[in-house]
Amino acid sequence: PQPISPLKNFFAGGFGGVCLVFVGHPLDTIKVRLQTQPKPQPGQPPLYSGTFDCFRKTLVGEGVRGLYRGMAAPIIGVTPMFAVCFFGFGLGKRLQQRKPDDVLTYPQLFAAGMLSGVFTTVIMAPGERIKCLLQIQAATGETKYSGSLDCAKQLYREAGIRGVYKGTVLTLMRDVPASGMYFMTYEWLKNILTPEGKSVSDLSVPRILFAGGLAGIFNWAVAIPPDVLKSRFQTAPAGKYPNGFRDVLRELIREEGIASLYKGFTAVMIRAFPANAACFLGFEVAMKFLNWVAPGL
């Protein structure tokens, strides 16, 4: 096996992240709109009755471009974000190895994955804030922000760097445990799917896609409740939740019950498999290419 190279993980992870955004952004838009839709007035139906209704209304009202609202922010952020994410995972693995050929246990892989979640928050938090605001803007009919850069400028003008990084704690609460689950599950599935006598590096494309897609589902099974709280908090007017996520949690459970923490579940799970399958396939392809062109990197 190749020695763990955080630097190769950095470049391969960036390519994997780009693959993930192109495949998964439309359903991410649906997820955010479902999570942030206002509570209907008594006797009135909700704005969206579910995932497919939201998809249909977005497509009819805004066309295919509506499904890709706010994609500039994650595309700009996703390459360095996933590069840093996979770099953090590679670094976390290497820090726990005594010798380059040490095989890590699953708890060690989980710990390495959690480190990657800490690494990505610096990029993830502002990118998520901008993306969510742009995604719900089209649904409300207002045009406060002309694009990602304009949104970032206005947020900074209104509240400084804290306005841009609103929701950082919730992003950490979502990504640290979810990233641990993400990478541990992927490595576990790769080992299970490797035929006896073969190397993990020889896995076929369908098996890599299956392992990556299922890892994405395990990731989001952990991440959905804090993601709902994060989306609500990041898109709320200034001052609405003075005590942070605790106020969001109280309001959601009081008004909509515990099931509200799983809003957008269908959209998330439909998106999770293909998007993360594409991410890990892109990562593995890029890693093989890097091992070929720069074996000593």
Side-chain angles (χ1 to χ4, degrees), residues 72-73 76 126 129-131 133-134 137 142-159 163-164:
I76 292 167
R129 169 97 154 117
I130 293 164
K131 172 182 70 72
L133 287 170
L134 291 173
Q137 173 178 268
E142 299 175 6
T143 313
K144 184 178 179 181
Y145 310 112
S146 61
S148 300
L149 188 59
D150 180 54
C151 182
K153 285 179 180 176
Q154 289 195 45
L155 290 173
Y156 185 78
R157 197 181 304 125
E158 290 167 6
V164 178

Side-chain angles (χ1 to χ4, degrees), residues 31 58 74 80 103-104 130 138 144 160 170 192 196 203 279 286 290:
K31 177 205 73 173
T58 301
V103 177
L104 298 180
I130 293 164
K144 184 178 179 181
L170 278 163
I192 286 177
E196 192 174 347
L203 270 183
C279 175
L290 289 170

Side-chain angles (χ1 to χ4, degrees), residues 17 22 28 42 53 66 73 77 83 98 107 136 143 155 161 181 195 197 209 229 239 248 259 279 297:
F22 275 111
D28 187 70
D53 182 53
R98 293 182 180 178
I136 66 163
T143 313
L155 290 173
I161 197 69
M181 181 64 74
L209 288 171
L229 298 177
V248 188
C279 175
L297 186 64

Side-chain angles (χ1 to χ4, degrees), residues 21-31 33 51-71 74 131 135 138 271:
V21 172
F22 275 111
V23 173
H25 192 80
L27 278 160
D28 187 70
T29 299
I30 302 302
K31 177 205 73 173
R33 290 186 178 184
T51 299
F52 297 104
D53 182 53
C54 183
F55 182 86
R56 182 182 60 81
K57 286 179 178 175
T58 301
L59 204 57
V60 170
E62 304 166 53
V64 174
R65 290 184 64 185
L67 296 170
Y68 283 90
R69 295 281 181 196
M71 195 177 78
K131 172 182 70 72
Q135 284 173 329
R271 170 187 178 269

Side-chain angles (χ1 to χ4, degrees), residues 11 89 99 106 113 120 140 156 165 168 170 179 197 230 240 242 275:
F11 291 114
F89 180 57
K99 301 191 297 291
Y106 291 120
T120 57
T140 59
Y156 185 78
Y165 273 87
T168 298
L170 278 163
S179 295
K230 181 195 69 65
K240 182 175 180 182

Side-chain angles (χ1 to χ4, degrees), residues 28 31-32 35 128 131-132 170 173-175 220 222-234 261 263 268:
D28 187 70
K31 177 205 73 173
V32 170
Q35 289 176 344
E128 288 277 300
K131 172 182 70 72
C132 289
L170 278 163
M173 288 172 60
R174 181 192 70 176
D175 289 350
W220 278 104
V222 173
I224 287 177
D227 185 62
V228 172
L229 298 177
K230 181 195 69 65
S231 294
R232 280 290 182 106
F233 184 68
Q234 287 187 319
L261 292 173
K263 273 190 171 183
V268 167

